[in-house]
Amino acid sequence: MNEVLSAGLSDEVTRRLREAILTGLLRDGERVVERDLASTLAVSRGPVRDALRRLADEGLVVSEPRRGTRIASLTLEDGEEIMAIRLAIEPLAVRYLVRDAESPRFESLHPILDAMRAACERHDWPEVMAQDFALHSQLYRLCGRRRLLRLWESISEPLLHIFRMNLGLYENIGQVYENHRKLVAELESGDPARAEDAIREHITHFQPQLRALMIDRERKLAQEGYARRTDGGRPEGGSRRFDTGGTSTTDAPAGVHNTPPHQTQEG
C-alpha cells in the first residue's frame, strides 16, 4: 500500500482495509495484527485501531479477547440472517419508492446501470459488484425512509462480502447487468405490487445456489483449519502483508465466464 497522506487517516485506513477485505487481498479468516497493518500503511497504530473497530461494526472483522483480530468468516447462519433481513426490508423500500415516486426520480438509476454495463464489458468484477450495490443503495435513498436506509447500511458490507466470496453464482458477468436492467424496468412500471414481486424474485433467485456455495465453503474452511493445526500453516504471531496491486480485475472467479452483456444467458 502507498502511504496514507490524507487528513482523515481513520477514514482512509478504514477504506483501504475494507477494500482489501472485499477484494480478497485479506482473506476470509485471516489474522490481522495492528502493528503490521500500521507498518504497511505507514501510519500510527491509532487510525488502524479505529478502522478495525469500524470494520467490526460492519461485520467484516472479528476481535476476540486474548485471540486478536481476524477477517470475519461469514457462516451459513450469518448469510441466512443477512438475506432474511434484506428480504424483509427491500420490498418495503421498493413499495414506498414506487408508490410515492414521480417517474423522473428513477432517472438516477440509469447512470449506475450504464456504469455497470461498462464494467461488464471490461470484465471488471470488483466494479460490477460496486455498481450492483450502488444501485440497491440508491433505491433505499430514493424511498425516503431513513430507518430502512440505516438497516440496509448495517448489512450491505457483509452482504457484499458474501457475494464476492461466492461469485460462482453467476454464469457470466453480463448476467449481473441484465438482471438489474430488468429490475429497473419493473420499478419504472409504476405498479407497486409488480415492483415488489420483481425485487423479491431478484433477491431470492440465487438463494438456493448461495446456500449450497456457503455450505461448501464452510466445509473447505474446516478442512483447511484442520490441515493448519496438523501441518503447521501460517504462524499465529503475524498477519500477511498486502499491497494495493491486488488481483487483476479482468480475471473472473473460477467457474465464471466473462461474457459481455449482449451475450447474457437468462438467469
Side-chain angles (χ1 to χ4, degrees), residues 128-162:
V128 170
M129 291 289 97
Q131 295 303 325
D132 180 335
F133 277 72
L135 189 143
H136 288 279
S137 295
Q138 182 67 357
L139 294 181
Y140 284 93
R141 285 191 288 269
L142 289 174
C143 86
R145 299 308 196 272
R146 64 182 185 278
R147 292 179 182 84
L148 287 177
L149 177 59
R150 285 202 298 268
L151 285 169
W152 165 251
E153 289 173 343
S154 74
I155 66 168
S156 60
E157 295 293 353
L159 185 63
L160 180 57
H161 192 30
I162 289 170

Side-chain angles (χ1 to χ4, degrees), residues 117 120-121 123 171-175 177-178 257-267:
R117 182 183 179 92
C120 287
E121 290 172 346
H123 311 306
E171 294 178 2
N172 57 64
I173 196 168
Q175 184 179 4
Y177 167 78
E178 190 63 21
H257 307 291
N258 278 331
T259 307
H262 64 275
Q263 297 178 14
T264 295
Q265 301 174 5
E266 295 299 328

Side-chain angles (χ1 to χ4, degrees), residues 38-191:
S39 175
T40 299
L41 291 162
V43 298
S44 66
R45 292 172 66 171
V48 173
R49 190 176 305 117
D50 290 342
L52 292 176
R53 288 196 197 101
R54 291 163 68 175
L55 294 172
D57 289 340
E58 294 175 11
L60 294 179
V61 303
V62 177
S63 296
E64 299 173 323
R66 296 182 297 281
R67 299 190 65 181
T69 301
R70 59 180 172 79
I71 308 304
S73 299
L74 293 173
T75 65
L76 175 63
E77 183 178 343
D78 294 327
E80 290 181 332
E81 179 185 17
I82 290 167
M83 293 298 292
I85 293 169
R86 185 187 186 189
L87 187 57
I89 64 175
E90 200 153 334
L92 183 58
V94 163
R95 183 195 310 168
Y96 284 131
L97 172 58
V98 176
R99 187 189 69 186
D100 300 342
E102 299 177 0
S103 57
R105 293 180 65 185
F106 291 106
E107 290 179 358
S108 64
L109 300 176
H110 289 277
I112 303 174
L113 277 177
D114 291 342
M116 187 185 297
R117 182 183 179 92
C120 287
E121 290 172 346
R122 296 194 308 271
H123 311 306
D124 185 345
W125 273 102
E127 183 62 17
V128 170
M129 291 289 97
Q131 295 303 325
D132 180 335
F133 277 72
L135 189 143
H136 288 279
S137 295
Q138 182 67 357
L139 294 181
Y140 284 93
R141 285 191 288 269
L142 289 174
C143 86
R145 299 308 196 272
R146 64 182 185 278
R147 292 179 182 84
L148 287 177
L149 177 59
R150 285 202 298 268
L151 285 169
W152 165 251
E153 289 173 343
S154 74
I155 66 168
S156 60
E157 295 293 353
L159 185 63
L160 180 57
H161 192 30
I162 289 170
F163 273 89
R164 280 188 164 149
M165 289 190 301
N166 296 283
L167 286 174
L169 288 169
Y170 299 103
E171 294 178 2
N172 57 64
I173 196 168
Q175 184 179 4
V176 185
Y177 167 78
E178 190 63 21
N179 288 349
H180 286 85
R181 183 193 64 77
K182 291 178 179 179
L183 174 62
V184 171
E186 293 291 345
L187 298 180
E188 291 179 322
S189 72
D191 183 337

